[in-house]
Amino acid sequence: MKVANKFFLILCTILLTTTVFAEEPVLVKEFVGQIEFVQGRITQLAEAVPQSAYEWRPEEGVRSVSEVYLHIAFANYMTVIISGGTISKDMGFEMDFSKEKEWDTQTTDKTIILEKVNESFATLKEWTKSLTEEDLNREVEAFGMTMTIRNFMITMIGHTHEHLGQSIAYARTNHVTPPWSKKEE
């Protein structure tokens, strides 16, 4: 009996230790790295674009500069909620696609927009770091499809990069060079 008890104790210790010290899933590390990269670019660009250009849009019916940045924040919060997280009521976000345009058009104030974008990225990174391999394999409904959270996260990082590209085009059209691509003088 003593040997069985010792064996059981050792087995429990190993199981507990492996669970407590388990590494983040590779996708989580890579996703957070991509989010930090794209957040840096979006933030730099949003800061470089003058306030006067925040209402600019390429044509009627297309998102303005400010609306693109707020849409990125909307998507970050949506990612957290669809993948099973929650958003503090203090963020003023409500997961309701019928109110997406209302969210995207809430302000054109550059300072407020930068705060909202950065808060959304911080919330997304915090939530993502809590995901386990089991979580990543769980299925969710998004965009009329069933997919794993893993696939959903890949889709959403593509979405964020898409809007970074859109923001770069908007900035260049308004004669703003992205800070990271300026040549040393």
PDB file of all heavy atoms in Angstrom, residues 13-40:
ATOM      1  N   THR A  13       1.795  14.919  -8.324  1.00  0.00           N
ATOM      2  CA  THR A  13       2.763  16.022  -8.348  1.00  0.00           C
ATOM      3  C   THR A  13       3.194  16.312  -9.785  1.00  0.00           C
ATOM      4  O   THR A  13       3.251  17.472 -10.202  1.00  0.00           O
ATOM      5  CB  THR A  13       3.989  15.678  -7.472  1.00  0.00           C
ATOM      6  OG1 THR A  13       3.540  15.397  -6.152  1.00  0.00           O
ATOM      7  CG2 THR A  13       4.985  16.818  -7.455  1.00  0.00           C
ATOM      8  N   ILE A  14       3.472  15.288 -10.548  1.00  0.00           N
ATOM      9  CA  ILE A  14       3.877  15.473 -11.953  1.00  0.00           C
ATOM     10  C   ILE A  14       2.747  16.112 -12.745  1.00  0.00           C
ATOM     11  O   ILE A  14       2.966  17.058 -13.497  1.00  0.00           O
ATOM     12  CB  ILE A  14       4.303  14.119 -12.577  1.00  0.00           C
ATOM     13  CG1 ILE A  14       5.621  13.662 -11.964  1.00  0.00           C
ATOM     14  CG2 ILE A  14       4.429  14.239 -14.085  1.00  0.00           C
ATOM     15  CD1 ILE A  14       6.021  12.229 -12.347  1.00  0.00           C
ATOM     16  N   LEU A  15       1.547  15.615 -12.569  1.00  0.00           N
ATOM     17  CA  LEU A  15       0.400  16.166 -13.282  1.00  0.00           C
ATOM     18  C   LEU A  15       0.183  17.632 -12.926  1.00  0.00           C
ATOM     19  O   LEU A  15       0.006  18.475 -13.806  1.00  0.00           O
ATOM     20  CB  LEU A  15      -0.860  15.348 -12.981  1.00  0.00           C
ATOM     21  CG  LEU A  15      -2.131  15.819 -13.691  1.00  0.00           C
ATOM     22  CD1 LEU A  15      -1.967  15.730 -15.202  1.00  0.00           C
ATOM     23  CD2 LEU A  15      -3.323  15.002 -13.236  1.00  0.00           C
ATOM     24  N   LEU A  16       0.221  17.948 -11.653  1.00  0.00           N
ATOM     25  CA  LEU A  16       0.029  19.325 -11.205  1.00  0.00           C
ATOM     26  C   LEU A  16       1.145  20.228 -11.727  1.00  0.00           C
ATOM     27  O   LEU A  16       0.892  21.317 -12.223  1.00  0.00           O
ATOM     28  CB  LEU A  16      -0.032  19.385  -9.676  1.00  0.00           C
ATOM     29  CG  LEU A  16      -0.242  20.770  -9.074  1.00  0.00           C
ATOM     30  CD1 LEU A  16      -1.581  21.341  -9.520  1.00  0.00           C
ATOM     31  CD2 LEU A  16      -0.177  20.716  -7.558  1.00  0.00           C
ATOM     32  N   THR A  17       2.371  19.776 -11.658  1.00  0.00           N
ATOM     33  CA  THR A  17       3.509  20.562 -12.114  1.00  0.00           C
ATOM     34  C   THR A  17       3.419  20.824 -13.611  1.00  0.00           C
ATOM     35  O   THR A  17       3.643  21.930 -14.078  1.00  0.00           O
ATOM     36  CB  THR A  17       4.838  19.840 -11.781  1.00  0.00           C
ATOM     37  OG1 THR A  17       4.867  19.579 -10.390  1.00  0.00           O
ATOM     38  CG2 THR A  17       6.031  20.674 -12.164  1.00  0.00           C
ATOM     39  N   THR A  18       3.077  19.799 -14.378  1.00  0.00           N
ATOM     40  CA  THR A  18       2.973  20.003 -15.821  1.00  0.00           C
ATOM     41  C   THR A  18       1.838  20.928 -16.174  1.00  0.00           C
ATOM     42  O   THR A  18       1.975  21.736 -17.077  1.00  0.00           O
ATOM     43  CB  THR A  18       2.771  18.669 -16.572  1.00  0.00           C
ATOM     44  OG1 THR A  18       2.600  17.600 -15.710  1.00  0.00           O
ATOM     45  CG2 THR A  18       3.840  18.411 -17.550  1.00  0.00           C
ATOM     46  N   THR A  19       0.760  20.863 -15.465  1.00  0.00           N
ATOM     47  CA  THR A  19      -0.368  21.755 -15.734  1.00  0.00           C
ATOM     48  C   THR A  19      -0.029  23.189 -15.365  1.00  0.00           C
ATOM     49  O   THR A  19      -0.292  24.113 -16.129  1.00  0.00           O
ATOM     50  CB  THR A  19      -1.617  21.290 -14.950  1.00  0.00           C
ATOM     51  OG1 THR A  19      -1.884  19.945 -15.292  1.00  0.00           O
ATOM     52  CG2 THR A  19      -2.809  22.141 -15.269  1.00  0.00           C
ATOM     53  N   VAL A  20       0.579  23.385 -14.211  1.00  0.00           N
ATOM     54  CA  VAL A  20       0.897  24.730 -13.744  1.00  0.00           C
ATOM     55  C   VAL A  20       1.950  25.386 -14.626  1.00  0.00           C
ATOM     56  O   VAL A  20       1.878  26.569 -14.936  1.00  0.00           O
ATOM     57  CB  VAL A  20       1.367  24.697 -12.268  1.00  0.00           C
ATOM     58  CG1 VAL A  20       1.946  26.023 -11.832  1.00  0.00           C
ATOM     59  CG2 VAL A  20       0.217  24.299 -11.360  1.00  0.00           C
ATOM     60  N   PHE A  21       2.952  24.605 -15.047  1.00  0.00           N
ATOM     61  CA  PHE A  21       4.055  25.179 -15.803  1.00  0.00           C
ATOM     62  C   PHE A  21       3.952  24.909 -17.302  1.00  0.00           C
ATOM     63  O   PHE A  21       4.925  25.068 -18.022  1.00  0.00           O
ATOM     64  CB  PHE A  21       5.389  24.655 -15.262  1.00  0.00           C
ATOM     65  CG  PHE A  21       5.660  25.118 -13.863  1.00  0.00           C
ATOM     66  CD1 PHE A  21       5.571  24.243 -12.798  1.00  0.00           C
ATOM     67  CD2 PHE A  21       5.971  26.445 -13.610  1.00  0.00           C
ATOM     68  CE1 PHE A  21       5.804  24.674 -11.504  1.00  0.00           C
ATOM     69  CE2 PHE A  21       6.208  26.884 -12.315  1.00  0.00           C
ATOM     70  CZ  PHE A  21       6.121  25.996 -11.257  1.00  0.00           C
ATOM     71  N   ALA A  22       2.800  24.491 -17.752  1.00  0.00           N
ATOM     72  CA  ALA A  22       2.624  24.225 -19.176  1.00  0.00           C
ATOM     73  C   ALA A  22       2.865  25.504 -19.977  1.00  0.00           C
ATOM     74  O   ALA A  22       2.467  26.589 -19.567  1.00  0.00           O
ATOM     75  CB  ALA A  22       1.210  23.707 -19.433  1.00  0.00           C
ATOM     76  N   GLU A  23       3.534  25.331 -21.083  1.00  0.00           N
ATOM     77  CA  GLU A  23       3.819  26.478 -21.937  1.00  0.00           C
ATOM     78  C   GLU A  23       2.552  26.923 -22.662  1.00  0.00           C
ATOM     79  O   GLU A  23       1.653  26.133 -22.907  1.00  0.00           O
ATOM     80  CB  GLU A  23       4.869  26.096 -22.977  1.00  0.00           C
ATOM     81  CG  GLU A  23       6.260  26.031 -22.412  1.00  0.00           C
ATOM     82  CD  GLU A  23       7.290  25.957 -23.524  1.00  0.00           C
ATOM     83  OE1 GLU A  23       7.151  26.671 -24.528  1.00  0.00           O
ATOM     84  OE2 GLU A  23       8.223  25.176 -23.360  1.00  0.00           O
ATOM     85  N   GLU A  24       2.566  28.201 -23.023  1.00  0.00           N
ATOM     86  CA  GLU A  24       1.478  28.699 -23.861  1.00  0.00           C
ATOM     87  C   GLU A  24       1.506  27.932 -25.178  1.00  0.00           C
ATOM     88  O   GLU A  24       2.586  27.602 -25.662  1.00  0.00           O
ATOM     89  CB  GLU A  24       1.704  30.177 -24.212  1.00  0.00           C
ATOM     90  CG  GLU A  24       1.498  31.161 -23.135  1.00  0.00           C
ATOM     91  CD  GLU A  24       1.772  32.581 -23.634  1.00  0.00           C
ATOM     92  OE1 GLU A  24       2.788  32.807 -24.309  1.00  0.00           O
ATOM     93  OE2 GLU A  24       0.961  33.447 -23.329  1.00  0.00           O
ATOM     94  N   PRO A  25       0.366  27.702 -25.743  1.00  0.00           N
ATOM     95  CA  PRO A  25       0.358  27.089 -27.070  1.00  0.00           C
ATOM     96  C   PRO A  25       1.128  27.985 -28.056  1.00  0.00           C
ATOM     97  O   PRO A  25       1.120  29.208 -27.936  1.00  0.00           O
ATOM     98  CB  PRO A  25      -1.127  27.029 -27.428  1.00  0.00           C
ATOM     99  CG  PRO A  25      -1.838  27.030 -26.106  1.00  0.00           C
ATOM    100  CD  PRO A  25      -0.982  27.891 -25.212  1.00  0.00           C
ATOM    101  N   VAL A  26       1.780  27.364 -29.004  1.00  0.00           N
ATOM    102  CA  VAL A  26       2.578  28.108 -29.983  1.00  0.00           C
ATOM    103  C   VAL A  26       1.729  29.160 -30.686  1.00  0.00           C
ATOM    104  O   VAL A  26       2.159  30.302 -30.862  1.00  0.00           O
ATOM    105  CB  VAL A  26       3.222  27.137 -31.007  1.00  0.00           C
ATOM    106  CG1 VAL A  26       3.887  27.899 -32.140  1.00  0.00           C
ATOM    107  CG2 VAL A  26       4.212  26.225 -30.312  1.00  0.00           C
ATOM    108  N   LEU A  27       0.511  28.801 -31.071  1.00  0.00           N
ATOM    109  CA  LEU A  27      -0.339  29.775 -31.764  1.00  0.00           C
ATOM    110  C   LEU A  27      -0.584  31.006 -30.907  1.00  0.00           C
ATOM    111  O   LEU A  27      -0.588  32.125 -31.425  1.00  0.00           O
ATOM    112  CB  LEU A  27      -1.675  29.163 -32.182  1.00  0.00           C
ATOM    113  CG  LEU A  27      -2.603  30.162 -32.899  1.00  0.00           C
ATOM    114  CD1 LEU A  27      -2.059  30.518 -34.275  1.00  0.00           C
ATOM    115  CD2 LEU A  27      -4.008  29.640 -32.997  1.00  0.00           C
ATOM    116  N   VAL A  28      -0.764  30.828 -29.615  1.00  0.00           N
ATOM    117  CA  VAL A  28      -1.002  31.971 -28.734  1.00  0.00           C
ATOM    118  C   VAL A  28       0.210  32.893 -28.760  1.00  0.00           C
ATOM    119  O   VAL A  28       0.075  34.107 -28.931  1.00  0.00           O
ATOM    120  CB  VAL A  28      -1.338  31.509 -27.299  1.00  0.00           C
ATOM    121  CG1 VAL A  28      -1.295  32.671 -26.321  1.00  0.00           C
ATOM    122  CG2 VAL A  28      -2.703  30.828 -27.270  1.00  0.00           C
ATOM    123  N   LYS A  29       1.407  32.340 -28.611  1.00  0.00           N
ATOM    124  CA  LYS A  29       2.624  33.158 -28.650  1.00  0.00           C
ATOM    125  C   LYS A  29       2.743  33.898 -29.977  1.00  0.00           C
ATOM    126  O   LYS A  29       3.054  35.092 -30.017  1.00  0.00           O
ATOM    127  CB  LYS A  29       3.871  32.288 -28.452  1.00  0.00           C
ATOM    128  CG  LYS A  29       4.062  31.771 -27.064  1.00  0.00           C
ATOM    129  CD  LYS A  29       5.328  30.928 -27.005  1.00  0.00           C
ATOM    130  CE  LYS A  29       5.486  30.264 -25.670  1.00  0.00           C
ATOM    131  NZ  LYS A  29       6.656  29.393 -25.626  1.00  0.00           N
ATOM    132  N   GLU A  30       2.515  33.193 -31.067  1.00  0.00           N
ATOM    133  CA  GLU A  30       2.646  33.802 -32.398  1.00  0.00           C
ATOM    134  C   GLU A  30       1.564  34.847 -32.636  1.00  0.00           C
ATOM    135  O   GLU A  30       1.823  35.902 -33.209  1.00  0.00           O
ATOM    136  CB  GLU A  30       2.631  32.713 -33.466  1.00  0.00           C
ATOM    137  CG  GLU A  30       3.873  31.845 -33.399  1.00  0.00           C
ATOM    138  CD  GLU A  30       3.838  30.653 -34.327  1.00  0.00           C
ATOM    139  OE1 GLU A  30       2.759  30.304 -34.867  1.00  0.00           O
ATOM    140  OE2 GLU A  30       4.912  30.038 -34.516  1.00  0.00           O
ATOM    141  N   PHE A  31       0.351  34.561 -32.210  1.00  0.00           N
ATOM    142  CA  PHE A  31      -0.740  35.510 -32.380  1.00  0.00           C
ATOM    143  C   PHE A  31      -0.453  36.789 -31.606  1.00  0.00           C
ATOM    144  O   PHE A  31      -0.599  37.890 -32.138  1.00  0.00           O
ATOM    145  CB  PHE A  31      -2.068  34.885 -31.918  1.00  0.00           C
ATOM    146  CG  PHE A  31      -3.268  35.756 -32.126  1.00  0.00           C
ATOM    147  CD1 PHE A  31      -3.927  35.775 -33.345  1.00  0.00           C
ATOM    148  CD2 PHE A  31      -3.763  36.555 -31.099  1.00  0.00           C
ATOM    149  CE1 PHE A  31      -5.049  36.579 -33.547  1.00  0.00           C
ATOM    150  CE2 PHE A  31      -4.877  37.354 -31.281  1.00  0.00           C
ATOM    151  CZ  PHE A  31      -5.512  37.364 -32.519  1.00  0.00           C
ATOM    152  N   VAL A  32      -0.025  36.659 -30.359  1.00  0.00           N
ATOM    153  CA  VAL A  32       0.293  37.840 -29.547  1.00  0.00           C
ATOM    154  C   VAL A  32       1.430  38.627 -30.200  1.00  0.00           C
ATOM    155  O   VAL A  32       1.394  39.856 -30.251  1.00  0.00           O
ATOM    156  CB  VAL A  32       0.609  37.455 -28.087  1.00  0.00           C
ATOM    157  CG1 VAL A  32       1.184  38.637 -27.313  1.00  0.00           C
ATOM    158  CG2 VAL A  32      -0.647  36.930 -27.391  1.00  0.00           C
ATOM    159  N   GLY A  33       2.416  37.932 -30.739  1.00  0.00           N
ATOM    160  CA  GLY A  33       3.505  38.614 -31.452  1.00  0.00           C
ATOM    161  C   GLY A  33       2.986  39.398 -32.640  1.00  0.00           C
ATOM    162  O   GLY A  33       3.387  40.551 -32.867  1.00  0.00           O
ATOM    163  N   GLN A  34       2.095  38.805 -33.415  1.00  0.00           N
ATOM    164  CA  GLN A  34       1.502  39.503 -34.559  1.00  0.00           C
ATOM    165  C   GLN A  34       0.662  40.696 -34.108  1.00  0.00           C
ATOM    166  O   GLN A  34       0.709  41.765 -34.717  1.00  0.00           O
ATOM    167  CB  GLN A  34       0.632  38.538 -35.381  1.00  0.00           C
ATOM    168  CG  GLN A  34       1.414  37.608 -36.262  1.00  0.00           C
ATOM    169  CD  GLN A  34       2.109  38.362 -37.374  1.00  0.00           C
ATOM    170  OE1 GLN A  34       1.508  39.156 -38.087  1.00  0.00           O
ATOM    171  NE2 GLN A  34       3.395  38.119 -37.518  1.00  0.00           N
ATOM    172  N   ILE A  35      -0.099  40.507 -33.043  1.00  0.00           N
ATOM    173  CA  ILE A  35      -0.923  41.597 -32.519  1.00  0.00           C
ATOM    174  C   ILE A  35      -0.048  42.753 -32.058  1.00  0.00           C
ATOM    175  O   ILE A  35      -0.338  43.919 -32.331  1.00  0.00           O
ATOM    176  CB  ILE A  35      -1.843  41.084 -31.378  1.00  0.00           C
ATOM    177  CG1 ILE A  35      -2.962  40.221 -31.957  1.00  0.00           C
ATOM    178  CG2 ILE A  35      -2.421  42.224 -30.559  1.00  0.00           C
ATOM    179  CD1 ILE A  35      -3.887  40.929 -32.925  1.00  0.00           C
ATOM    180  N   GLU A  36       1.048  42.443 -31.363  1.00  0.00           N
ATOM    181  CA  GLU A  36       1.938  43.513 -30.907  1.00  0.00           C
ATOM    182  C   GLU A  36       2.555  44.253 -32.095  1.00  0.00           C
ATOM    183  O   GLU A  36       2.662  45.479 -32.082  1.00  0.00           O
ATOM    184  CB  GLU A  36       3.019  42.949 -29.978  1.00  0.00           C
ATOM    185  CG  GLU A  36       2.427  42.574 -28.633  1.00  0.00           C
ATOM    186  CD  GLU A  36       3.384  41.858 -27.707  1.00  0.00           C
ATOM    187  OE1 GLU A  36       4.470  41.398 -28.152  1.00  0.00           O
ATOM    188  OE2 GLU A  36       3.037  41.742 -26.508  1.00  0.00           O
ATOM    189  N   PHE A  37       2.935  43.500 -33.138  1.00  0.00           N
ATOM    190  CA  PHE A  37       3.491  44.124 -34.338  1.00  0.00           C
ATOM    191  C   PHE A  37       2.477  45.054 -34.998  1.00  0.00           C
ATOM    192  O   PHE A  37       2.750  46.222 -35.257  1.00  0.00           O
ATOM    193  CB  PHE A  37       3.945  43.051 -35.337  1.00  0.00           C
ATOM    194  CG  PHE A  37       4.327  43.620 -36.669  1.00  0.00           C
ATOM    195  CD1 PHE A  37       5.584  44.171 -36.870  1.00  0.00           C
ATOM    196  CD2 PHE A  37       3.425  43.618 -37.722  1.00  0.00           C
ATOM    197  CE1 PHE A  37       5.936  44.715 -38.102  1.00  0.00           C
ATOM    198  CE2 PHE A  37       3.763  44.159 -38.953  1.00  0.00           C
ATOM    199  CZ  PHE A  37       5.027  44.708 -39.148  1.00  0.00           C
ATOM    200  N   VAL A  38       1.288  44.522 -35.269  1.00  0.00           N
ATOM    201  CA  VAL A  38       0.282  45.307 -35.993  1.00  0.00           C
ATOM    202  C   VAL A  38      -0.216  46.471 -35.138  1.00  0.00           C
ATOM    203  O   VAL A  38      -0.470  47.564 -35.653  1.00  0.00           O
ATOM    204  CB  VAL A  38      -0.856  44.402 -36.534  1.00  0.00           C
ATOM    205  CG1 VAL A  38      -1.841  44.024 -35.472  1.00  0.00           C
ATOM    206  CG2 VAL A  38      -1.570  45.057 -37.704  1.00  0.00           C
ATOM    207  N   GLN A  39      -0.314  46.272 -33.828  1.00  0.00           N
ATOM    208  CA  GLN A  39      -0.701  47.378 -32.947  1.00  0.00           C
ATOM    209  C   GLN A  39       0.329  48.501 -33.031  1.00  0.00           C
ATOM    210  O   GLN A  39      -0.034  49.670 -33.114  1.00  0.00           O
ATOM    211  CB  GLN A  39      -0.830  46.914 -31.501  1.00  0.00           C
ATOM    212  CG  GLN A  39      -1.158  48.059 -30.551  1.00  0.00           C
ATOM    213  CD  GLN A  39      -1.166  47.645 -29.082  1.00  0.00           C
ATOM    214  OE1 GLN A  39      -0.780  46.535 -28.720  1.00  0.00           O
ATOM    215  NE2 GLN A  39      -1.615  48.550 -28.238  1.00  0.00           N
ATOM    216  N   GLY A  40       1.597  48.137 -33.026  1.00  0.00           N
ATOM    217  CA  GLY A  40       2.649  49.144 -33.132  1.00  0.00           C
ATOM    218  C   GLY A  40       2.526  49.947 -34.416  1.00  0.00           C
ATOM    219  O   GLY A  40       2.613  51.188 -34.405  1.00  0.00           O
TER     220      GLY A  40
END
